[in-house]
Amino acid sequence: MILLPAPGTPRVLMFATLVNTFGNGAYLATGALFLTRSVGLSAGQVALGLSVAALAGIGLSTPMGHVADRYGPKRLQVAALVVLAGCFAGLTTVHHLWSYALLACVIAVGDATVKASTGAMIAGSVPPGERVRTRAFIRSTNNAGIALGTAVAAIPLTLDSRAGYLAVLFGNAATYLLAAAVATRAGRVTRVAPPPDGPRLAALRDRPFLAFALLDGLVAALYNGLLALALPLWLVTRTHAPATLVSAALLVNTIGCVTLQVWASRGTDTAASALPVSRRGALVVAASCVLFGLTGGRSPRVAGTLVLLAAAVHVLGELWLSSATFAVAFDLAPDWAQGQYQGLLQTGRQIGNMLAPPLLTTLVITVGEPGWLALAAVFAGAGLTYPAVVRWALRNRTPTASIPATATR
């Protein structure tokens, strides 16, 4: 069993991701409490700041991907990691909403920039047939780092003191700087010049890929929100099952994502090969929604069994969907615009993150058991729509001339 990607840039990116997401995991577990209990912001103010940040990310993710294509993804990733380190250190001085919102905006754009440049670095340093597998290693590492960071965050959460929260912030800033230092060891990526008569932001003019990014963003936000948002609310308000089942379901998801993502990516390296994988993944997640809905009114033992079974089914669908997304994004993007297309993919994810929470809460809490069936129908519909959108993109894809640049970055 191979536990590491190929030597060179893929392995460097994996270690940089592990360091970075370890700090992120600790912050994700403590950030809301720091802002409300230490800074003094209300929950509504925190939500407003995050909404403003999401809008900034939506507007700037694709342009930042263009910057990665123009000046080199390695250079941009290192710069973004350093800026993000400064932002998290700067959060220690926040005392009101707008200073927090400003930093949250930079963090949202910086995070999307790091993800887009990571995709562009993979595309520029790995043969096409190995790109999805390499990206799967990065996603597996991402989940492992966040899980480790979340576990360590139990200490400052127990202390519930400003000193503990500040330690997390400074520690997260330090992991960004360390990740930047690791990223400098990645190999240089040869920049491919765009066609001389082509548009600057070609990704935004690619209507099939734009449609794919929006669909993928909503579906990804929904399958992520099932365990993090919908399930906790459902268990507390509509079942007799203990809320601790949420932790068990998240543990199943984490273990699955860390250990099975590379396996799930096998045989998925082109947009065409992603068609059945995306359909299968969406239908499997739909089945998990039906299982979650069956827990209503059941005994705690039966409900617990159904939740664990649904979580196992859910993670398989998630792994197949993410593998299909990697393949489509890499394959449909021209070599000179990989950063743009990766950035547009992040834009779709951010739009999905804004739409999914109200949709999930409305269906699960307001509608109840039929709401889970409605969610299953949404995923099943996505499973049928994904292949149609990708085929549209493949039909409209035309070879474009490009000029290899002599400089590498």
Side-chain angles (χ1 to χ4, degrees):
M1 181 178 180
I2 300 175
L3 299 178
L4 294 173
T9 295
R11 199 166 291 184
V12 168
L13 288 174
M14 189 195 77
F15 284 117
T17 299
L18 181 62
V19 171
N20 183 204
T21 54
F22 173 77
N24 278 344
Y27 175 73
L28 288 173
T30 60
L33 288 178
F34 163 72
L35 293 167
T36 54
R37 296 174 70 85
S38 182
V39 176
L41 301 181
S42 67
Q45 287 176 318
V46 173
L48 177 60
L50 291 174
S51 296
V52 173
L55 290 174
I58 289 169
L60 295 176
S61 292
T62 305
M64 292 305 293
H66 171 66
V67 174
D69 293 325
R70 178 67 186 272
Y71 296 101
K74 174 184 172 181
R75 179 183 297 178
L76 184 64
Q77 179 169 102
V78 171
L81 289 168
V82 172
V83 169
L84 285 166
C87 288
F88 280 100
L91 283 176
T92 63
T93 66
V94 164
H95 295 292
H96 49 76
L97 169 61
W98 296 113
S99 59
Y100 162 64
L102 177 62
L103 286 173
C105 287
V106 180
I107 289 171
V109 175
D111 181 64
T113 300
V114 170
K115 291 177 179 177
S117 59
T118 294
M121 288 175 72
I122 292 172
S125 60
V126 177
E130 291 294 315
R131 289 172 180 174
V132 174
R133 182 173 177 274
T134 302
R135 188 65 185 82
F137 270 112
I138 301 300
R139 186 173 193 266
S140 177
T141 304
N142 180 85
N143 282 279
I146 289 177
L148 291 172
T150 301
V152 171
I155 299 174
L157 286 173
T158 301
L159 295 174
D160 190 23
S161 65
R162 180 170 175 82
Y165 295 134
L166 293 183
V168 171
L169 287 171
F170 282 122
N172 194 23
T175 64
Y176 273 102
L177 291 176
L178 182 55
V182 173
T184 60
R185 300 182 65 83
R188 293 186 172 187
V189 176
T190 300
R191 188 176 73 85
V192 180
D197 56 346
R200 284 191 175 183
L201 295 178
L204 294 177
R205 297 170 181 261
D206 189 338
R207 288 184 295 174
F209 190 84
L210 180 59
F212 172 80
L214 293 174
L215 176 63
D216 172 77
L218 178 60
V219 170
L222 287 174
Y223 69 62
N224 286 326
L226 283 181
L227 299 185
L229 178 62
L231 181 61
L233 294 175
W234 170 256
L235 291 178
V236 170
T237 62
R238 295 276 188 161
T239 75
H240 304 295
T244 52
L245 281 174
V246 176
S247 297
L250 288 172
L251 181 61
V252 170
N253 184 267
T254 299
I255 293 174
C257 288
V258 171
T259 60
L260 298 177
Q261 182 65 75
V262 177
W263 164 81
S265 70
R266 290 178 181 175
T268 310
D269 51 13
T270 65
S273 65
L275 297 178
V277 178
S278 62
R279 180 170 54 245
R280 181 198 317 149
L283 292 176
V284 168
V285 176
S288 76
C289 292
V290 175
L291 291 172
F292 281 128
L294 291 175
T295 59
R298 309 289 178 180
S299 68
R301 179 175 296 180
V302 173
T305 302
L306 286 171
V307 166
L308 293 178
L309 177 60
V313 173
H314 171 278
V315 74
L316 283 175
E318 175 184 338
L319 294 173
W320 281 320
L321 280 169
S322 59
S323 296
T325 296
F326 301 153
V328 171
F330 282 130
D331 195 27
L332 294 183
D335 288 340
W336 51 268
Q338 285 285 345
Q340 281 187 51
Y341 277 71
Q342 295 289 334
L344 182 55
L345 193 69
Q346 295 306 314
T347 299
R349 294 293 175 94
Q350 290 157 336
I351 293 174
N353 289 338
M354 294 181 67
L355 298 177
L359 179 60
L360 287 170
T361 53
T362 298
L363 290 177
V364 172
I365 302 305
T366 304
V367 180
E369 290 184 27
W372 284 105
L373 295 178
L375 279 173
V378 170
F379 282 108
L384 299 176
T385 305
Y386 262 120
V389 172
V390 174
R391 289 192 185 100
W392 176 29
L394 289 172
R395 286 195 305 269
N396 284 269
R397 184 171 63 175
T398 56
T400 55
S402 59
I403 306 170
T406 57
T408 56
R409 295 174 173 85

